[in-house]
Amino acid sequence: MKKIFFLLCCSFILVGCQQKTKALASLEHYEQYVELLNQPQDYKSKSDLFNITLILNQLEDGKVRYDVVINNAVSRLSNIKVICKEVDQTINNYPSIGLLENESYILDPNYTNKEENIYKGINLSGISETCVVKLNILVEYQTEQDQLVREF
C-alpha cells in the first residue's frame, strides 16, 4: 500500500513538473516575440492577405480600450500568432494570441469551426492610458504553401 501511495505521489510530481515546463516554454516563446517588437522594424500599415482594423472605445475612467481585429483573409492562414504592443508602453503585458496557449489558430475565409480553432477573424484587446493609441503589431502565419510569413 505504501508503494502504491509513493508511486502516486511521484507521478503527480512528474505531471506537475511537465505542465510547469510547458508553461515556462510558452512564456519564453512569448518573450521572444516581445523582443521582435522591441527591435526596429519596417512596419506596414496594411496586409495583402488579410484586413487589420483598430477600434477605439473611450472608458469611463478616461482610459481607452482598443481592439485589433484581423479578418477577411484572402486564403487560409494557419498557425496564426499575433502580438501587439502600444508604442512607448513600459508594462510588459501585451495582448497576444497563439503564443501563450497550447492552441494553433487558423484564419479561413470560407469555413469556421470553433472546435478546430478555425475562424474567419480574430480579436485582441488592450487598455491604453492615453486617447491616442499607436500600436506595433506582429502577425505570423503559414500560407497554404506552408511558407512561414511574419508581417509587422
Coordinates of all heavy atoms in Angstrom, one line a residue, residues 8-101:
L8 N 2.0 7.0 -6.7 CA 1.1 8.0 -7.0 C 1.6 9.4 -6.8 O 1.5 10.3 -7.6 CB -0.2 7.8 -6.2 CG -1.2 6.8 -6.7 CD1 -2.3 6.6 -5.7 CD2 -1.7 7.2 -8.0
C9 N 2.3 9.6 -5.6 CA 2.9 10.9 -5.3 C 4.0 11.3 -6.4 O 4.0 12.4 -6.8 CB 3.5 10.9 -3.9 SG 2.3 10.9 -2.6
C10 N 4.8 10.3 -6.7 CA 5.8 10.6 -7.7 C 5.2 10.9 -9.1 O 5.7 11.9 -9.8 CB 6.7 9.3 -7.9 SG 7.8 9.1 -6.5
S11 N 4.1 10.2 -9.5 CA 3.5 10.5 -10.8 C 2.9 11.9 -10.7 O 2.9 12.6 -11.7 CB 2.5 9.5 -11.1 OG 1.4 9.5 -10.2
F12 N 2.3 12.3 -9.6 CA 1.7 13.7 -9.5 C 2.8 14.7 -9.6 O 2.6 15.8 -10.3 CB 0.9 13.9 -8.2 CG -0.4 13.2 -8.2 CD1 -0.8 12.4 -7.1 CD2 -1.3 13.3 -9.3 CE1 -2.0 11.8 -7.1 CE2 -2.5 12.6 -9.3 CZ -2.9 11.9 -8.2
I13 N 3.9 14.5 -9.0 CA 5.0 15.5 -9.1 C 5.5 15.6 -10.5 O 5.8 16.7 -11.0 CB 6.1 15.1 -8.1 CG1 5.6 15.3 -6.7 CG2 7.4 15.8 -8.4 CD1 6.6 14.7 -5.6
L14 N 5.7 14.4 -11.2 CA 6.2 14.4 -12.6 C 5.3 15.1 -13.5 O 5.7 15.9 -14.4 CB 6.5 13.0 -13.0 CG 7.7 12.3 -12.4 CD1 7.8 10.9 -12.8 CD2 9.0 13.0 -12.7
V15 N 4.0 14.9 -13.4 CA 3.0 15.5 -14.2 C 3.0 17.0 -14.0 O 2.9 17.8 -14.9 CB 1.6 14.9 -14.0 CG1 0.5 15.7 -14.7 CG2 1.6 13.5 -14.5
G16 N 3.0 17.4 -12.7 CA 3.1 18.8 -12.4 C 4.3 19.5 -12.9 O 4.2 20.7 -13.4
C17 N 5.4 18.9 -12.9 CA 6.7 19.5 -13.4 C 6.6 19.6 -14.9 O 7.1 20.6 -15.5 CB 7.9 18.6 -13.1 SG 8.3 18.7 -11.3
Q18 N 6.0 18.6 -15.6 CA 5.8 18.7 -17.1 C 4.9 19.9 -17.5 O 5.2 20.6 -18.4 CB 5.3 17.5 -17.7 CG 6.2 16.3 -17.7 CD 5.6 15.0 -18.1 OE1 4.4 14.9 -18.2 NE2 6.4 14.0 -18.5
Q19 N 3.9 20.1 -16.7 CA 3.0 21.2 -17.0 C 3.7 22.6 -16.8 O 3.5 23.5 -17.5 CB 1.7 21.1 -16.2 CG 0.8 20.0 -16.6 CD -0.4 19.8 -15.7 OE1 -0.5 20.4 -14.7 NE2 -1.3 19.0 -16.2
K20 N 4.5 22.6 -15.7 CA 5.2 23.9 -15.4 C 6.2 24.1 -16.5 O 6.4 25.3 -16.9 CB 5.9 23.7 -14.1 CG 6.5 25.0 -13.6 CD 7.0 24.9 -12.1 CE 7.5 26.2 -11.6 NZ 8.0 26.1 -10.2
T21 N 6.9 23.1 -17.0 CA 7.9 23.2 -18.1 C 7.2 23.7 -19.3 O 7.7 24.6 -20.0 CB 8.5 21.9 -18.4 OG1 9.2 21.4 -17.1 CG2 9.6 22.0 -19.4
K22 N 6.0 23.2 -19.7 CA 5.3 23.7 -20.9 C 4.9 25.2 -20.7 O 5.0 26.0 -21.6 CB 4.0 22.9 -21.1 CG 4.2 21.5 -21.6 CD 2.9 20.8 -21.8 CE 3.2 19.4 -22.2 NZ 1.9 18.6 -22.4
A23 N 4.5 25.6 -19.5 CA 4.1 27.0 -19.2 C 5.4 27.9 -19.4 O 5.3 29.0 -20.0 CB 3.5 27.1 -17.9
L24 N 6.5 27.4 -18.9 CA 7.7 28.2 -19.0 C 8.2 28.3 -20.5 O 8.6 29.4 -20.9 CB 8.9 27.6 -18.2 CG 8.7 27.8 -16.6 CD1 9.8 27.0 -15.9 CD2 8.8 29.3 -16.3
A25 N 8.0 27.3 -21.2 CA 8.4 27.3 -22.6 C 7.5 28.3 -23.4 O 7.9 29.0 -24.2 CB 8.3 25.9 -23.2
S26 N 6.2 28.3 -23.0 CA 5.3 29.2 -23.7 C 5.6 30.7 -23.3 O 5.6 31.5 -24.2 CB 3.8 29.0 -23.2 OG 3.4 27.7 -23.7
L27 N 6.0 30.9 -22.1 CA 6.4 32.2 -21.7 C 7.7 32.7 -22.4 O 7.8 33.8 -22.8 CB 6.6 32.3 -20.1 CG 6.9 33.7 -19.5 CD1 5.8 34.6 -19.9 CD2 7.0 33.6 -18.0
E28 N 8.6 31.8 -22.5 CA 9.9 32.1 -23.3 C 9.5 32.4 -24.7 O 10.1 33.4 -25.3 CB 10.9 31.0 -23.2 CG 11.5 30.8 -21.8 CD 12.4 29.6 -21.6 OE1 12.5 28.9 -22.6 OE2 12.9 29.4 -20.5
H29 N 8.6 31.7 -25.3 CA 8.2 31.9 -26.7 C 7.6 33.3 -26.8 O 7.9 34.1 -27.7 CB 7.2 30.8 -27.1 CG 6.9 30.7 -28.5 ND1 7.8 30.4 -29.5 CD2 5.7 30.9 -29.2 CE1 7.3 30.4 -30.6 NE2 6.0 30.7 -30.5
Y30 N 6.7 33.7 -25.9 CA 6.1 35.0 -25.8 C 7.1 36.1 -25.7 O 7.0 37.1 -26.5 CB 5.1 35.0 -24.6 CG 4.5 36.3 -24.3 CD1 3.3 36.7 -24.9 CD2 5.0 37.1 -23.3 CE1 2.7 37.9 -24.6 CE2 4.4 38.4 -23.0 CZ 3.3 38.7 -23.7 OH 2.7 39.9 -23.4
E31 N 8.1 35.9 -24.8 CA 9.1 36.9 -24.7 C 10.0 37.1 -25.9 O 10.4 38.2 -26.2 CB 10.0 36.5 -23.4 CG 9.2 36.7 -22.1 CD 10.0 36.2 -20.9 OE1 11.0 35.6 -21.1 OE2 9.5 36.5 -19.8
Q32 N 10.2 36.0 -26.7 CA 10.9 36.2 -28.0 C 10.2 37.1 -28.9 O 10.8 37.9 -29.6 CB 11.1 34.8 -28.6 CG 12.1 33.9 -27.9 CD 12.2 32.5 -28.4 OE1 11.3 32.1 -29.3 NE2 13.1 31.7 -27.9
Y33 N 8.8 36.9 -29.0 CA 8.0 37.8 -29.8 C 8.0 39.2 -29.3 O 8.0 40.2 -30.1 CB 6.6 37.2 -30.0 CG 6.6 36.1 -31.0 CD1 7.0 34.8 -30.6 CD2 6.2 36.3 -32.3 CE1 7.0 33.7 -31.5 CE2 6.2 35.2 -33.2 CZ 6.6 34.0 -32.8 OH 6.6 32.9 -33.6
V34 N 8.0 39.4 -28.0 CA 8.1 40.8 -27.5 C 9.4 41.4 -27.9 O 9.5 42.6 -28.3 CB 8.0 40.8 -25.9 CG1 8.3 42.1 -25.3 CG2 6.6 40.3 -25.5
E35 N 10.5 40.6 -27.9 CA 11.8 41.2 -28.3 C 11.8 41.6 -29.8 O 12.4 42.6 -30.2 CB 12.9 40.1 -28.1 CG 13.4 40.1 -26.6 CD 13.8 41.4 -26.1 OE1 14.6 42.1 -26.7 OE2 13.4 41.8 -25.0
L36 N 11.1 40.8 -30.6 CA 11.0 41.1 -32.0 C 10.3 42.5 -32.2 O 10.6 43.3 -33.0 CB 10.2 40.1 -32.8 CG 10.9 38.8 -33.1 CD1 10.0 37.7 -33.6 CD2 12.1 39.0 -34.0
L37 N 9.2 42.7 -31.4 CA 8.5 44.0 -31.4 C 9.4 45.2 -30.9 O 9.2 46.3 -31.4 CB 7.2 44.0 -30.6 CG 6.0 43.3 -31.2 CD1 4.9 43.2 -30.2 CD2 5.6 43.9 -32.4
N38 N 10.3 44.9 -30.0 CA 11.2 45.9 -29.5 C 12.3 46.3 -30.4 O 12.9 47.3 -30.3 CB 11.7 45.5 -28.1 CG 10.7 45.5 -27.0 OD1 9.7 46.3 -27.1 ND2 10.9 44.7 -26.0
Q39 N 12.6 45.5 -31.4 CA 13.6 45.8 -32.4 C 13.1 46.7 -33.5 O 11.9 46.6 -33.8 CB 14.2 44.5 -33.0 CG 14.8 43.5 -32.0 CD 15.2 42.2 -32.6 OE1 15.0 41.9 -33.8 NE2 15.7 41.3 -31.8
P40 N 13.9 47.5 -34.1 CA 13.5 48.3 -35.2 C 13.0 47.5 -36.3 O 13.6 46.5 -36.7 CB 14.7 49.1 -35.6 CG 15.7 49.0 -34.4 CD 15.3 47.7 -33.7
Q41 N 11.8 47.8 -36.8 CA 11.2 47.0 -37.9 C 10.6 48.0 -38.9 O 10.3 49.2 -38.6 CB 10.0 46.2 -37.4 CG 10.4 45.2 -36.3 CD 11.3 44.1 -36.8 OE1 11.4 43.8 -38.0 NE2 11.9 43.4 -35.8
D42 N 10.4 47.6 -40.1 CA 9.7 48.3 -41.1 C 8.2 48.0 -41.1 O 7.8 47.0 -41.7 CB 10.3 48.0 -42.5 CG 9.7 48.9 -43.6 OD1 9.2 50.0 -43.3 OD2 9.7 48.5 -44.8
Y43 N 7.5 48.7 -40.3 CA 6.1 48.4 -40.0 C 5.2 48.8 -41.2 O 5.4 49.9 -41.7 CB 5.5 49.0 -38.8 CG 6.1 48.4 -37.5 CD1 7.2 48.9 -36.8 CD2 5.5 47.2 -37.0 CE1 7.7 48.2 -35.7 CE2 5.9 46.6 -35.9 CZ 7.1 47.1 -35.2 OH 7.5 46.5 -34.1
K44 N 4.3 47.9 -41.6 CA 3.4 48.2 -42.7 C 2.1 48.7 -42.1 O 1.7 48.4 -41.0 CB 3.1 47.0 -43.6 CG 4.4 46.4 -44.2 CD 4.3 45.2 -45.1 CE 3.0 44.4 -45.0 NZ 3.0 43.2 -45.9
S45 N 1.3 49.4 -42.9 CA 0.0 49.9 -42.4 C -1.1 49.0 -42.9 O -2.3 49.1 -42.4 CB -0.3 51.3 -42.9 OG -0.3 51.3 -44.3
K46 N -0.8 48.0 -43.8 CA -1.9 47.1 -44.2 C -1.2 45.8 -44.7 O 0.0 45.8 -45.0 CB -2.8 47.7 -45.3 CG -2.1 48.0 -46.6 CD -3.1 48.5 -47.6 CE -2.4 48.7 -48.9 NZ -3.4 49.0 -50.0
S47 N -2.0 44.8 -44.9 CA -1.5 43.5 -45.5 C -2.3 43.2 -46.7 O -3.4 43.6 -46.9 CB -1.7 42.4 -44.4 OG -1.4 41.1 -45.0
D48 N -1.6 42.4 -47.6 CA -2.3 42.0 -48.8 C -3.1 40.7 -48.6 O -4.0 40.4 -49.4 CB -1.2 41.7 -49.9 CG -0.5 42.9 -50.4 OD1 -1.1 44.0 -50.3 OD2 0.7 42.8 -50.8
L49 N -2.9 40.0 -47.5 CA -3.6 38.7 -47.3 C -4.7 38.8 -46.3 O -5.4 37.8 -46.1 CB -2.6 37.7 -46.9 CG -1.5 37.3 -47.9 CD1 -0.6 36.2 -47.4 CD2 -2.2 36.8 -49.2
F50 N -4.9 39.9 -45.5 CA -5.9 40.0 -44.5 C -6.2 41.5 -44.2 O -5.3 42.3 -44.5 CB -5.6 39.2 -43.3 CG -4.3 39.6 -42.6 CD1 -4.2 40.6 -41.8 CD2 -3.2 38.8 -42.9 CE1 -3.0 41.0 -41.2 CE2 -1.9 39.1 -42.4 CZ -1.8 40.2 -41.5
N51 N -7.3 41.7 -43.6 CA -7.6 43.1 -43.1 C -7.2 43.2 -41.7 O -7.4 42.2 -40.9 CB -9.1 43.4 -43.2 CG -9.6 43.6 -44.7 OD1 -8.7 43.8 -45.6 ND2 -10.9 43.6 -44.9
I52 N -6.8 44.3 -41.3 CA -6.5 44.6 -39.8 C -7.1 45.9 -39.5 O -6.9 46.9 -40.2 CB -5.0 44.5 -39.5 CG1 -4.7 44.6 -38.1 CG2 -4.2 45.5 -40.3 CD1 -3.3 44.1 -37.7
T53 N -7.9 45.9 -38.5 CA -8.7 47.1 -38.1 C -8.4 47.4 -36.6 O -8.4 46.5 -35.8 CB -10.2 46.9 -38.3 OG1 -10.4 46.5 -39.7 CG2 -11.0 48.2 -38.1
L54 N -8.3 48.7 -36.3 CA -8.1 49.1 -34.9 C -9.4 49.9 -34.5 O -9.8 50.8 -35.2 CB -6.9 50.1 -34.8 CG -6.7 50.7 -33.4 CD1 -6.4 49.6 -32.3 CD2 -5.6 51.7 -33.4
I55 N -10.0 49.4 -33.4 CA -11.3 50.0 -32.9 C -11.0 50.6 -31.5 O -10.4 49.9 -30.7 CB -12.4 49.0 -32.9 CG1 -12.7 48.4 -34.2 CG2 -13.7 49.6 -32.3 CD1 -13.6 47.2 -34.3
L56 N -11.3 51.9 -31.3 CA -11.1 52.5 -30.0 C -12.4 52.8 -29.3 O -13.3 53.3 -30.0 CB -10.3 53.8 -30.2 CG -9.0 53.7 -30.9 CD1 -8.4 55.1 -31.1 CD2 -8.0 52.8 -30.1
N57 N -12.5 52.6 -28.0 CA -13.7 52.9 -27.2 C -13.2 53.6 -25.9 O -12.4 53.0 -25.2 CB -14.4 51.6 -26.8 CG -15.1 50.9 -28.0 OD1 -15.9 51.6 -28.7 ND2 -14.7 49.7 -28.3
Q58 N -13.8 54.8 -25.7 CA -13.4 55.5 -24.5 C -14.1 54.9 -23.3 O -15.3 54.5 -23.3 CB -14.0 57.0 -24.6 CG -13.6 57.9 -23.5 CD -12.1 58.3 -23.6 OE1 -11.5 58.5 -24.7 NE2 -11.4 58.3 -22.4
L59 N -13.4 54.7 -22.2 CA -13.9 54.1 -21.0 C -14.2 55.2 -20.0 O -13.7 56.3 -20.1 CB -12.9 53.1 -20.4 CG -12.5 51.9 -21.3 CD1 -11.4 51.1 -20.6 CD2 -13.7 51.1 -21.6
E60 N -15.0 54.9 -19.0 CA -15.5 55.9 -18.1 C -14.3 56.5 -17.2 O -14.4 57.6 -16.8 CB -16.5 55.3 -17.1 CG -17.8 55.0 -17.8 CD -18.8 54.3 -16.9 OE1 -18.6 54.2 -15.6 OE2 -19.9 53.9 -17.4
D61 N -13.3 55.7 -17.0 CA -12.2 56.2 -16.2 C -11.1 57.0 -17.0 O -10.1 57.3 -16.5 CB -11.5 55.1 -15.5 CG -10.9 54.0 -16.4 OD1 -11.0 54.2 -17.6 OD2 -10.3 53.0 -15.9
G62 N -11.5 57.4 -18.2 CA -10.6 58.2 -19.1 C -9.6 57.3 -19.9 O -8.9 57.9 -20.8
K63 N -9.5 56.0 -19.6 CA -8.7 55.2 -20.4 C -9.4 54.8 -21.7 O -10.6 55.0 -21.9 CB -8.3 53.9 -19.6 CG -7.5 54.2 -18.4 CD -7.2 53.0 -17.6 CE -6.4 53.3 -16.3 NZ -6.2 52.1 -15.5
V64 N -8.6 54.2 -22.6 CA -9.2 53.8 -23.9 C -9.0 52.3 -24.1 O -7.9 51.8 -23.9 CB -8.5 54.6 -25.1 CG1 -9.0 54.0 -26.4 CG2 -8.8 56.0 -25.0
R65 N -10.1 51.6 -24.5 CA -9.9 50.2 -24.8 C -9.7 50.1 -26.3 O -10.5 50.8 -27.1 CB -11.2 49.4 -24.4 CG -11.2 48.0 -24.9 CD -12.5 47.3 -24.8 NE -12.6 46.2 -25.7 CZ -13.0 45.0 -25.3 NH1 -13.5 44.8 -24.1 NH2 -13.0 44.0 -26.2
Y66 N -8.7 49.3 -26.7 CA -8.5 49.1 -28.1 C -8.7 47.7 -28.5 O -8.4 46.8 -27.7 CB -7.1 49.6 -28.6 CG -6.0 49.0 -27.9 CD1 -5.4 47.8 -28.4 CD2 -5.3 49.5 -26.8 CE1 -4.4 47.1 -27.8 CE2 -4.2 48.9 -26.2 CZ -3.8 47.7 -26.7 OH -2.7 47.1 -26.1
D67 N -9.3 47.5 -29.7 CA -9.5 46.1 -30.2 C -8.8 46.1 -31.6 O -9.0 46.9 -32.4 CB -11.0 45.8 -30.4 CG -11.7 45.7 -29.1 OD1 -11.5 44.7 -28.4 OD2 -12.5 46.6 -28.7
V68 N -8.0 45.1 -31.8 CA -7.3 44.8 -33.0 C -8.1 43.6 -33.6 O -8.1 42.5 -33.1 CB -5.8 44.5 -32.9 CG1 -5.2 44.2 -34.2 CG2 -5.1 45.7 -32.2
V69 N -8.7 43.9 -34.8 CA -9.5 42.8 -35.5 C -8.8 42.4 -36.7 O -8.5 43.3 -37.6 CB -10.9 43.3 -35.8 CG1 -11.7 42.2 -36.5 CG2 -11.6 43.8 -34.5
I70 N -8.5 41.2 -36.9 CA -7.8 40.6 -38.1 C -8.8 39.7 -38.7 O -9.2 38.7 -38.1 CB -6.5 39.9 -37.7 CG1 -5.5 40.9 -37.0 CG2 -5.9 39.3 -39.0 CD1 -4.3 40.3 -36.5
N71 N -9.2 40.0 -39.9 CA -10.2 39.2 -40.6 C -10.1 39.3 -42.1 O -9.2 39.9 -42.6 CB -11.6 39.5 -40.1 CG -12.0 41.0 -40.4 OD1 -11.3 41.7 -41.0 ND2 -13.1 41.4 -39.9
N72 N -11.1 38.7 -42.8 CA -11.1 38.8 -44.3 C -9.8 38.3 -45.0 O -9.3 38.9 -45.9 CB -11.5 40.2 -44.8 CG -12.9 40.6 -44.3 OD1 -13.8 39.8 -44.2 ND2 -13.0 41.9 -44.1
A73 N -9.3 37.1 -44.5 CA -8.1 36.6 -45.1 C -8.5 36.2 -46.6 O -9.5 35.7 -46.9 CB -7.7 35.3 -44.3
V74 N -7.5 36.4 -47.4 CA -7.7 36.1 -48.8 C -7.6 34.6 -49.1 O -8.3 34.1 -49.9 CB -6.6 36.8 -49.7 CG1 -6.6 36.4 -51.1 CG2 -6.7 38.3 -49.5
S75 N -6.8 33.9 -48.3 CA -6.7 32.5 -48.4 C -6.5 32.0 -46.9 O -6.4 32.7 -46.0 CB -5.5 32.1 -49.2 OG -4.3 32.6 -48.7
R76 N -6.4 30.7 -46.8 CA -6.3 30.0 -45.5 C -4.9 30.3 -44.9 O -3.9 30.1 -45.6 CB -6.5 28.5 -45.6 CG -6.5 27.8 -44.3 CD -6.7 26.3 -44.6 NE -6.7 25.5 -43.4 CZ -7.8 25.0 -42.8 NH1 -8.9 25.2 -43.4 NH2 -7.6 24.3 -41.7
L77 N -4.9 30.9 -43.7 CA -3.6 31.2 -43.0 C -3.6 30.3 -41.7 O -4.5 30.4 -40.9 CB -3.6 32.6 -42.6 CG -3.8 33.6 -43.8 CD1 -3.8 35.1 -43.3 CD2 -2.7 33.4 -44.8
S78 N -2.6 29.5 -41.6 CA -2.5 28.5 -40.5 C -1.5 29.0 -39.4 O -0.7 29.8 -39.7 CB -2.1 27.1 -41.0 OG -3.0 26.7 -41.9
N79 N -1.7 28.4 -38.2 CA -0.7 28.6 -37.1 C -0.5 30.1 -36.9 O 0.6 30.6 -36.8 CB 0.6 27.9 -37.4 CG 1.4 27.7 -36.2 OD1 0.9 27.7 -35.1 ND2 2.7 27.5 -36.3
I80 N -1.6 30.8 -36.8 CA -1.6 32.3 -36.6 C -1.0 32.6 -35.2 O -1.4 32.0 -34.2 CB -3.0 32.9 -36.6 CG1 -3.6 32.6 -38.0 CG2 -3.0 34.3 -36.3 CD1 -3.2 33.5 -39.1
K81 N -0.1 33.5 -35.1 CA 0.4 34.1 -33.9 C 0.4 35.6 -34.0 O 0.9 36.1 -35.0 CB 1.9 33.6 -33.6 CG 2.0 32.1 -33.4 CD 3.4 31.7 -33.2 CE 3.6 30.3 -32.8 NZ 2.9 29.3 -33.6
V82 N -0.2 36.3 -33.1 CA -0.3 37.8 -33.1 C 0.1 38.3 -31.8 O -0.3 37.8 -30.7 CB -1.7 38.2 -33.5 CG1 -1.8 39.7 -33.6 CG2 -2.2 37.6 -34.8
I83 N 0.8 39.4 -31.8 CA 1.1 40.1 -30.5 C 1.1 41.6 -30.9 O 1.6 42.0 -32.0 CB 2.4 39.7 -29.9 CG1 2.6 40.4 -28.5 CG2 3.6 39.9 -30.8 CD1 3.7 39.8 -27.7
C84 N 0.6 42.4 -30.0 CA 0.6 43.9 -30.3 C 1.1 44.6 -29.0 O 0.9 44.2 -27.9 CB -0.8 44.4 -30.7 SG -2.1 44.2 -29.6
K85 N 1.8 45.7 -29.3 CA 2.4 46.5 -28.2 C 2.2 47.9 -28.5 O 2.4 48.4 -29.6 CB 3.9 46.2 -28.2 CG 4.7 47.1 -27.2 CD 6.2 46.9 -27.3 CE 6.8 47.7 -26.2 NZ 7.9 48.5 -26.7
E86 N 1.7 48.6 -27.5 CA 1.5 50.0 -27.6 C 2.9 50.7 -27.6 O 3.7 50.4 -26.8 CB 0.6 50.5 -26.5 CG 0.2 52.0 -26.6 CD -0.8 52.4 -25.5 OE1 -1.2 51.5 -24.7 OE2 -1.0 53.6 -25.4
V87 N 3.1 51.6 -28.6 CA 4.4 52.3 -28.7 C 4.5 53.1 -27.4 O 3.6 53.7 -26.9 CB 4.4 53.2 -29.9 CG1 5.7 54.0 -29.9 CG2 4.3 52.4 -31.2
D88 N 5.7 53.1 -26.8 CA 6.0 53.8 -25.5 C 5.4 53.1 -24.3 O 5.5 53.7 -23.2 CB 5.6 55.3 -25.6 CG 6.2 56.1 -26.7 OD1 7.3 55.7 -27.1 OD2 5.5 57.0 -27.3
Q89 N 4.8 52.0 -24.4 CA 4.3 51.3 -23.3 C 5.5 50.6 -22.5 O 6.4 50.0 -23.2 CB 3.3 50.2 -23.7 CG 2.8 49.4 -22.5 CD 1.7 48.3 -23.0 OE1 1.3 48.4 -24.1 NE2 1.4 47.4 -22.1
T90 N 5.5 50.7 -21.2 CA 6.6 50.2 -20.4 C 6.2 48.9 -19.7 O 7.0 48.1 -19.3 CB 7.1 51.2 -19.4 OG1 6.1 51.6 -18.6 CG2 7.8 52.4 -20.1
I91 N 4.9 48.7 -19.5 CA 4.4 47.5 -18.9 C 4.5 46.3 -19.8 O 4.1 46.4 -21.0 CB 3.0 47.7 -18.4 CG1 2.9 48.8 -17.5 CG2 2.4 46.4 -17.8 CD1 1.4 49.2 -17.1
N92 N 5.1 45.2 -19.4 CA 5.4 44.1 -20.2 C 4.2 43.1 -20.2 O 4.3 42.0 -19.8 CB 6.7 43.4 -19.8 CG 7.1 42.4 -20.8 OD1 6.6 42.3 -21.9 ND2 8.1 41.5 -20.4
N93 N 3.0 43.6 -20.7 CA 1.8 42.8 -20.7 C 1.1 43.1 -22.0 O 0.4 44.1 -22.0 CB 1.0 43.1 -19.5 CG -0.2 42.2 -19.4 OD1 -0.4 41.2 -20.1 ND2 -1.2 42.5 -18.5
Y94 N 1.3 42.4 -23.0 CA 0.8 42.7 -24.3 C -0.2 41.7 -24.8 O 0.0 40.5 -24.6 CB 2.0 42.8 -25.4 CG 3.2 43.6 -24.9 CD1 4.4 43.0 -24.7 CD2 3.0 44.9 -24.6 CE1 5.5 43.7 -24.2 CE2 4.1 45.6 -24.1 CZ 5.3 45.0 -23.9 OH 6.4 45.8 -23.5
P95 N -1.3 42.2 -25.4 CA -2.3 41.3 -26.0 C -1.7 40.4 -27.0 O -0.9 40.8 -27.9 CB -3.3 42.2 -26.6 CG -3.1 43.5 -26.0 CD -1.7 43.6 -25.6
S96 N -2.0 39.1 -27.0 CA -1.5 38.1 -27.9 C -2.5 37.0 -28.1 O -3.4 36.8 -27.3 CB -0.1 37.6 -27.5 OG -0.3 36.8 -26.3
I97 N -2.2 36.3 -29.2 CA -3.0 35.0 -29.5 C -2.1 34.1 -30.2 O -1.2 34.5 -31.0 CB -4.3 35.3 -30.3 CG1 -5.1 34.0 -30.3 CG2 -4.0 35.8 -31.7 CD1 -6.5 34.3 -30.8
G98 N -2.1 32.8 -29.7 CA -1.3 31.8 -30.3 C 0.1 31.6 -29.7 O 0.9 30.8 -30.2
L99 N 0.4 32.5 -28.7 CA 1.7 32.4 -28.1 C 1.8 31.7 -26.8 O 2.6 30.9 -26.5 CB 2.3 33.8 -28.0 CG 2.6 34.5 -29.3 CD1 3.0 36.0 -29.1 CD2 3.6 33.8 -30.1
L100 N 0.8 32.1 -25.9 CA 0.8 31.5 -24.5 C -0.1 30.3 -24.4 O 0.0 29.5 -23.5 CB 0.4 32.6 -23.5 CG 1.3 33.8 -23.4 CD1 0.7 34.9 -22.5 CD2 2.6 33.3 -22.8
E101 N -1.0 30.1 -25.4 CA -1.9 29.0 -25.4 C -1.2 27.8 -26.1 O -0.2 28.0 -26.8 CB -3.1 29.3 -26.2 CG -3.8 30.6 -25.8 CD -3.4 31.8 -26.6 OE1 -2.5 31.6 -27.5 OE2 -3.8 32.8 -26.4

